[in-house]
Amino acid sequence: MLNFEVTSSDFSYPGHDNFSFYLEGQDSSWTPLRNQHLVSYTNLAPGHYRLWGRYQLDGNSLEAPQLLADIHIEPPYYRTTSAYVIYVLLTALMFSLLTRRYFKQRYHAQRIQQEISTSEKRLRLALLGSGGRMWDWQLKHNRLYITSQHDGDEYSEEIDRQQFYSQVHPDDLPKITEALQLYINGETPFYEAEYRLKNTTDGDWLWGLDRGKAVEWDKHGNPIRLAGTLTDISLRKRQEDQLRLSYQVLESMNEAVVITDLDYRVIDVNPAFTDITGFTEQDIKGRPVLFLTRGLYPRSFYQQAESVMLNRHSWAREMQIRTRRGKLLPVWMEANQVLDHRGHTSHLVMVFNDITERKKAEEDLRLMANYDQLTDLPNRTLFQDRLQHALAQAIRCDTKVALLFLDLDRFKNINDTRGHQVGDQLLSAVAERLRRVIREGDTVARIGGDEFTIILEGVHKTKAATVIAEKIIDTLKQPFAVGQMMLDITTSIGISIFPDDADNTEELLKFADTAMYHAKAMGRNNFQFYTACMNQAAVRHMQLESGLKQALANNELYLVYQPKYEVKSGKLIGMEALLRWHSDKLGPVSPVEFIPLAEETGMINTIGGWVLQQVCQQLAQWRQQGLQPVPVAINLSAKQLNNHIVDEVQQALTTCELTASLLELELTESAVMQHPAESIAILARLEALGLTLAVDDFGTGYSSLAYLKRFPIHTLKIDKEFVRDISDDPEDAAITSAIIALAHSLDLLVVAEGVETQEQLHFLASQGCDQVQGYLLGKPMSVADCSGLLQAKAEP
Ligand SMILES: Nc1nc2c(ncn2[C@@H]2O[C@H](COP(=O)(O)O[C@H]3[C@@H](O)[C@H](n4cnc5c(=O)[nH]c(N)nc54)O[C@@H]3COP(=O)(O)O)[C@@H](O)[C@H]2O)c(=O)[nH]1
């Protein structure tokens, strides 16, 4: 504010002074001061002013204006020029900053926009690239816009939502509805459903994962547009199925399964693990799996297993584990590495099963395979093994091996007469005694019915074998108490020596066997060392066997007939058919040699059948020739005495239209006594056919009167061994007389065979013998000679 006080310097006319003022630079006219003296200015703008004043006394003219004040008003600092310059500068700066900020924000926004668009594009590509579809569902029109990608190209289609539902598996539709409802009700943050969708190309069902969210709402907040993706999860579903299946398999497996981390700490086990070990999952989870074998194996065992695992990614072997109760369990353990998708080992899986039963079965099998059940001695298999081992050891130590081959003498008789049970008990007792004879390290084995072998190792002189053989013969001499019975048995022993006789197990055994046969031939109950010439007998045996197999086919067999005469009348009353073999390769072979062989090999049934047919055909032929045939006796071996023989005989008789009375069957005592009850039944059937039956070689076997009474036999044939010496040996004469008397007392006919001298014939006649047969009266003869005999008989 600016104040000036104006007064007149002449105070003569108070109250008549008139003043007016004018501020140059501010006012536009003079301003009178009415009865006032104060001139005031407020808010004067900064600048230069001059205040002028005028004076007038009432009624006088105006005096000339007077400059009252030269005024200069300074502006405030903020309105100074420099302040304005600063303002301008600041404004410019601000503007530039704001412009810069604006462009920066714009650039930033553009970049974000670009990034969003790129990311959206990427997402879209990713979604479509992964086989997924993007969908946009306008709820109001129920239209569905689906975008998918095939071969890099994008396809869009617009379909009705209902139309889309028709492709969904009917069972899964409720799932979709429920998921949508939950989302719309706000119970789930987004819509999600898994369902099956028909593959339009092949008609298969695909699994899809459908996810979506509302993107538009009406004014009431209700969604009117949903968008989302539909992803093909068929592969995942399949993997899930496989996983589920694997899990179920794991759960239902009989094998225990343990999954561990790479520090062998248990992660998971299946129920079978608990069943087998007794440890529950809680017991062992997180613990090192090796606690199952703690203290059972040395560190090196685990180190070795680990190194195998490293190289082969798996490891397997039989081992033991300790159960919760501390029991040791044999298991078959397999450990495998589990590789992750990068091919790195992530876990270890151990699978094992309790093999107690298998081990037991294996042990039983091993025992069965290697040991004889009856005697507990090594059997043939183990014997072979031990022998092989013994030879190898002998080579290393430069020693010998003696092989003893034992065959019990007439053991068969014991079996036949006392029964197999007694026979078995005797064999066990023999085995026990043999065990006691040998040293530790030697082997006694049972390699067949009544055949034993002994391997003597570390032998320096053959004398050692002699000592043992003698011991065996001695020890077996003592009677055996079997049940209530005392049984006697002897043995024949053949001995072969390695390397003297053979350098391999097969030959060594063969030669010991050959020597054993030789011991038998030498009268049994003795031992024989193998010699080269013994081998000839063995070779002969082989030749005979293979020759006999071809004999029938090669027509090398034929029959001869030996006549039988009635003592009283001297008439021809019968013949005995005797088999002959003339081998192309071996020449004539005696039945004494080939019949036992045929029995041993089972060929006797075929050969015996052939003999029966030949005899019947011959009888029929003689009859056709107008001759009156006499009964012909056929020798039957023990093996032929079975039910087939009855049919065979009947068949042969029928074919040749013969009466049964023309046939007689001769059986040795031992043949009928093998199975007495069965023999009686078969003989009874043969007798019922009308055949006559004779016991051959009577006196050499059991001569069991009790059975003799029960057998349906008609004739006893006194063995030629007795007949041969009746003239010189009173004992044989007495036996012969006794047999004749016995036969007659049983109402049987008596035939004496092997009658070679008149003296013998006389004696027999004097004792009342009914019939005779022997070289004195007629040797076995050809069919032609027999025809002559029959012819002569018919002539008066
Ligand atoms: N199962 C069958 N066994 C048969 C058959 N054919 C013969 N054999 C048996 O073979 C054994 C030897 O018989 P073989 O060499 O024929 O000897 C018989 C006669 O030749 C002989 N014999 C007869 N008379 C005399 C004689 O005065 N002196 C003497 N030293 N030998 C004589 O005796 C044998 C007859 O014996 P056997 O049978 O006991 O009446 C022999 O055991 C035959 O049984 C066949 O087809 N099947």
Side-chain angles (χ1 to χ4, degrees):
M1 177 180 280
L2 198 61
N3 290 326
F4 295 97
E5 204 166 294
V6 184
T7 72
S8 169
S9 51
D10 182 3
F11 299 103
S12 315
Y13 308 99
H16 296 281
D17 300 328
N18 294 319
F19 292 97
S20 58
F21 64 87
Y22 168 73
L23 185 64
E24 188 184 329
Q26 172 72 12
D27 297 338
S28 52
S29 60
W30 288 90
T31 307
L33 273 173
R34 297 181 205 284
N35 301 321
Q36 282 184 21
H37 300 275
L38 198 63
V39 177
S40 293
Y41 279 98
T42 54
N43 287 331
L44 277 179
H48 196 75
Y49 301 90
R50 284 200 298 188
L51 184 64
W52 296 87
R54 259 183 347 195
Y55 178 67
Q56 179 181 46
L57 196 61
D58 280 346
N60 290 353
S61 61
L62 280 168
E63 287 189 13
Q66 286 183 19
L67 182 63
L68 300 179
D70 204 358
I71 305 163
H72 186 79
I73 294 179
E74 286 288 329
Y77 73 91
Y78 55 86
R79 295 186 69 176
T80 57
T81 314
S82 50
Y84 282 117
V85 170
I86 289 170
Y87 292 154
V88 170
L89 282 174
L90 279 173
T91 309
L93 184 70
M94 201 107 107
F95 179 75
S96 117
L97 282 173
L98 285 172
T99 313
R100 201 176 130 87
R101 192 168 163 213
Y102 166 76
F103 281 112
K104 204 172 167 184
Q105 274 178 348
R106 215 177 108 178
Y107 170 73
H108 195 61
Q110 273 175 350
R111 242 187 58 190
I112 287 172
Q113 192 59 39
Q114 201 175 0
E115 269 173 22
I116 289 171
S117 137
T118 314
S119 150
E120 257 179 14
K121 212 168 173 180
R122 227 179 272 138
L123 182 69
R124 192 182 173 86
L125 277 173
L127 275 167
L128 294 173
S130 67
R133 292 189 237 177
M134 294 170 76
W135 53 263
D136 189 343
W137 180 19
Q138 310 280 348
L139 269 71
K140 195 172 160 195
H141 310 290
N142 212 16
R143 300 300 290 168
L144 202 58
Y145 301 91
I146 299 173
T147 311
S148 54
Q149 199 184 49
H150 296 292
D151 301 329
D153 295 327
E154 261 187 48
Y155 295 91
S156 294
E157 58 174 330
E158 182 194 338
I159 56 166
D160 188 81
R161 179 82 183 171
Q162 277 321 112
Q163 195 186 337
F164 174 75
Y165 280 154
S166 68
Q167 297 168 16
V168 176
H169 195 288
D171 291 352
D172 297 341
L173 282 172
K175 269 203 283 187
I176 301 177
T177 319
E178 193 190 359
L180 274 172
Q181 203 54 55
L182 284 172
Y183 172 61
I184 288 167
N185 293 347
E187 290 175 52
T188 51
F190 52 86
Y191 151 73
E192 184 180 82
E194 284 181 7
Y195 52 83
R196 280 161 291 176
L197 207 61
K198 179 144 286 185
N199 185 350
T200 43
T201 44
D202 58 11
D204 272 358
W205 291 105
L206 297 172
W207 272 98
L209 170 63
D210 205 2
R211 274 193 177 137
K213 267 190 139 178
V215 288
E216 255 182 72
W217 295 262
D218 64 10
K219 59 183 178 199
H220 306 294
N222 297 320
I224 53 169
R225 188 176 160 206
L226 258 67
T229 55
L230 177 62
T231 318
D232 184 354
I233 54 163
S234 304
L235 180 67
R236 197 196 83 198
K237 277 282 182 188
R238 276 201 298 277
Q239 285 169 342
E240 277 175 11
D241 283 349
Q242 276 171 6
L243 214 65
R244 200 174 306 114
L245 191 70
S246 305
Y247 179 75
Q248 278 167 4
V249 169
L250 210 68
E251 288 290 293
S252 58
M253 267 170 78
N254 289 331
E255 285 86 8
V257 179
V258 190
I259 300 165
T260 73
D261 60 18
L262 296 183
D263 292 329
Y264 299 100
R265 290 192 181 277
V266 176
I267 294 173
D268 203 0
V269 295
N270 70 343
F273 175 87
T274 305
D275 293 345
I276 293 173
T277 64
F279 290 107
T280 64
E281 193 179 339
Q282 290 74 35
D283 291 336
I284 48 128
K285 211 162 184 173
R287 293 176 69 184
V289 71
L290 302 184
F291 83 91
L292 287 173
T293 55
R294 188 168 295 150
L296 296 178
Y297 297 95
R299 179 181 276 271
S300 56
F301 171 87
Y302 300 105
Q303 283 168 341
Q304 204 207 354
E306 202 153 35
S307 107
V308 173
M309 280 285 274
L310 273 175
N311 290 325
R312 301 193 205 142
H313 305 298
S314 67
W315 174 89
R317 65 163 281 169
E318 190 185 307
M319 60 186 296
Q320 285 191 317
I321 59 162
R322 191 174 273 119
T323 67
R324 187 177 194 161
R325 292 174 166 221
K327 190 181 148 200
L328 289 180
L329 211 64
V331 295
W332 177 254
M333 175 75 74
E334 283 183 21
N336 283 288
Q337 293 181 347
V338 180
L339 304 181
D340 63 15
H341 62 281
R342 291 166 303 167
H344 298 158
T345 309
S346 63
H347 295 89
L348 301 167
V349 176
M350 284 152 211
V351 181
F352 61 86
N353 55 348
D354 178 1
I355 54 167
T356 311
E357 287 300 312
R358 198 186 86 193
K359 291 288 291 174
K360 196 178 160 308
E362 272 175 15
E363 179 59 14
D364 289 350
L365 220 63
R366 194 186 68 79
L367 288 175
M368 265 166 66
N370 291 301
Y371 288 87
D372 169 46
Q373 301 291 295
L374 178 68
T375 60
D376 285 343
L377 289 177
N379 63 9
R380 186 179 278 270
T381 313
L382 186 55
F383 156 74
Q384 297 277 12
D385 222 48
R386 297 251 176 107
L387 186 58
Q388 186 72 55
H389 187 265
L391 297 199
Q393 184 73 9
I395 292 168
R396 270 196 299 275
C397 306
D398 196 21
T399 53
K400 294 176 194 276
V401 174
L403 176 62
L404 281 66
F405 195 116
L406 286 75
D407 187 282
L408 300 184
D409 299 328
R410 299 188 209 283
F411 174 74
K412 196 167 173 300
N413 289 350
I414 291 179
N415 244 354
D416 292 344
T417 54
R418 312 281 186 185
H420 285 272
Q421 217 174 344
V422 172
D424 285 355
Q425 282 174 287
L426 179 63
L427 285 172
S428 298
V430 167
E432 192 45 48
R433 285 196 194 173
L434 293 178
R435 245 191 228 112
R436 276 190 251 132
V437 168
I438 59 155
R439 292 178 312 184
E440 202 181 321
D442 293 337
T443 299
V444 187
R446 180 176 174 229
I447 61 164
D450 59 347
E451 291 173 344
F452 295 85
T453 48
I454 294 176
I455 305 167
L456 302 178
E457 294 191 52
V459 173
H460 292 283
K461 290 186 178 157
T462 49
K463 177 87 178 116
T466 310
V467 171
I468 298 291
E470 278 168 350
K471 267 195 192 175
I472 292 168
I473 284 172
D474 263 7
T475 190
L476 296 189
K477 253 186 210 160
Q478 313 306 316
F480 287 87
V482 177
Q484 303 297 314
M485 291 170 273
M486 293 304 285
L487 298 176
D488 289 309
I489 192 86
T490 56
T491 185
S492 301
I493 306 172
I495 306 169
S496 61
I497 306 285
F498 170 87
D500 305 0
D501 299 326
D503 61 0
N504 61 73
T505 56
E506 290 79 22
E507 284 199 335
L508 210 58
L509 182 64
K510 196 173 87 181
F511 292 166
D513 186 24
T514 305
M516 183 277 291
Y517 273 110
H518 201 68
K520 291 256 185 218
M522 299 291 285
R524 300 185 169 90
N525 196 23
N526 71 96
F527 64 89
Q528 295 294 321
F529 279 91
Y530 170 77
T531 59
C533 61
M534 283 179 190
N535 212 18
Q536 290 163 4
V539 171
R540 168 85 176 160
H541 189 268
M542 235 172 59
Q543 285 172 335
L544 285 176
E545 193 178 328
S546 66
L548 194 57
K549 279 181 189 157
Q550 311 297 323
L552 260 181
N554 291 350
N555 285 324
E556 293 172 0
L557 296 179
Y558 63 98
L559 290 173
V560 290
Y561 298 86
Q562 188 175 28
K564 273 194 282 183
Y565 293 92
E566 192 181 44
V567 176
K568 271 188 198 156
S569 62
K571 281 185 181 170
L572 174 73
I573 43 93
M575 296 181 188
E576 180 181 0
L578 293 162
L579 187 59
R580 295 288 178 264
W581 175 25
H582 190 102
S583 161
D584 287 347
K585 285 187 190 148
L586 305 167
V589 184
S590 162
V592 177
E593 209 176 0
F594 74 79
I595 290 289
L597 185 67
E599 286 171 341
E600 192 184 305
T601 55
M603 284 187 268
I604 193 66
N605 284 308
T606 317
I607 293 173
W610 179 84
V611 170
L612 175 69
Q613 282 169 15
Q614 284 295 113
V615 168
C616 288
Q617 281 167 16
Q618 190 55 62
L619 283 165
Q621 199 182 342
W622 279 326
R623 197 182 52 196
Q624 276 168 14
Q625 288 169 356
L627 299 169
Q628 203 180 358
V630 287
V632 176
I634 294 171
N635 288 285
L636 274 196
S637 284
K639 285 203 173 162
Q640 288 176 269
L641 197 58
N642 54 44
N643 282 316
H644 296 300
I645 191 69
V646 184
D647 299 335
E648 250 181 291
V649 168
Q650 194 165 24
Q651 177 79 43
L653 289 171
T654 312
T655 310
C656 300
E657 297 174 347
L658 293 177
T659 51
S661 58
L662 278 176
L663 269 192
E664 187 174 30
L665 298 180
E666 289 186 15
L667 292 120
T668 59
E669 277 183 285
S670 56
V672 288
M673 290 300 284
Q674 277 189 11
H675 304 287
E678 286 92 332
S679 298
I680 289 172
I682 296 164
L683 294 179
R685 288 180 63 197
L686 288 167
E687 189 195 29
L689 286 181
L691 271 77
T692 49
L693 305 165
V695 173
D696 205 358
D697 305 338
F698 191 78
T700 56
Y702 307 89
S703 307
S704 168
L705 297 178
Y707 271 108
L708 213 55
K709 257 177 76 180
R710 293 171 54 198
F711 283 124
I713 52 170
H714 309 93
T715 311
L716 283 190
K717 284 187 86 175
I718 304 171
D719 192 65
K720 52 183 173 294
E721 295 294 313
F722 300 114
V723 175
R724 190 181 58 208
D725 295 328
I726 42 176
S727 314
D728 312 318
D729 187 342
E731 269 188 27
D732 282 351
I735 291 171
T736 306
S737 304
I739 293 173
I740 294 169
L742 170 74
H744 285 163
S745 70
L746 290 169
D747 219 8
L748 301 173
L749 283 174
V750 185
V751 182
E753 63 179 17
V755 181
E756 292 183 354
T757 64
Q758 282 294 344
E759 277 174 305
Q760 291 164 344
L761 183 59
H762 259 316
F763 178 81
L764 290 165
S766 69
Q767 295 303 308
C769 182
D770 303 296
Q771 298 169 9
V772 281
Q773 182 185 352
Y775 293 170
L776 176 71
L777 306 147
K779 287 193 170 181
M781 52 186 77
S782 66
V783 170
D785 290 345
C786 282
S787 301
L789 269 186
L790 289 175
Q791 188 81 52
K793 182 179 178 259
E795 285 166 7

